[in-house]
Amino acid sequence: MRTLCASTLIGELFVIGFAGLVAMKDPDLSMSTVWTVSGIAMFLCLVLCGMVTRPGGIALGWALQVALIASGFVLPTMFFLGAVFAALWWASVHYGRKIDEAKARFAAQADSTTPDAV
């Protein structure tokens, strides 16, 4: 699960950075505001890569997805991109858990068939 979720978050980091570049062109937004918000979101993506398997990591990832979708109120394209990344996040969590369960099953099966060394 960690690999899939981290991959999604790294992709999201780049999208947030590019969205910050687009948001800079909005005359109603100051550059410092755009890069403060974008920088915090990008930093959260990096931190969450390491927190995915810890308690609360998945919930924080979902909060980031909601924030990304909400950023569509500033950049309308982000409604679409946020929804795409929320779907990717769901798939990463869902299928990542299935992969982890299968790995644990195979490891347990391999341990049970290994003869005990004396």
Side-chain angles (χ1 to χ4, degrees):
M1 177 171 68
R2 185 174 191 272
T3 303
L4 288 173
C5 290
S7 299
T8 300
L9 289 166
I10 293 299
E12 203 164 337
L13 179 139
F14 285 107
V15 167
I16 292 169
F18 290 132
L21 291 172
V22 172
M24 279 180 27
K25 295 185 180 199
D26 189 341
D28 296 333
L29 300 172
S30 71
M31 191 182 316
S32 61
T33 301
V34 167
W35 288 114
T36 299
V37 172
S38 295
I40 290 170
M42 291 167 70
F43 179 74
L44 283 174
C45 286
L46 280 177
V47 170
L48 282 172
C49 285
M51 289 182 56
V52 169
T53 57
R54 296 182 185 209
I58 299 298
L60 285 173
W62 279 114
L64 184 65
Q65 304 313 312
V66 169
L68 192 65
I69 293 170
S71 70
F73 290 109
V74 177
L75 289 174
T77 307
M78 293 307 290
F79 284 125
F80 172 72
L81 290 174
V84 167
F85 273 99
L88 285 171
W89 182 252
W90 175 84
S92 297
V93 171
H94 179 75
Y95 291 112
R97 284 183 177 154
K98 286 186 180 271
I99 290 169
D100 289 347
E101 290 170 3
K103 282 182 179 178
R105 237 185 356 261
F106 291 136
Q109 185 179 16
D111 287 345
S112 68
T113 58
T114 304
D116 292 332
V118 179

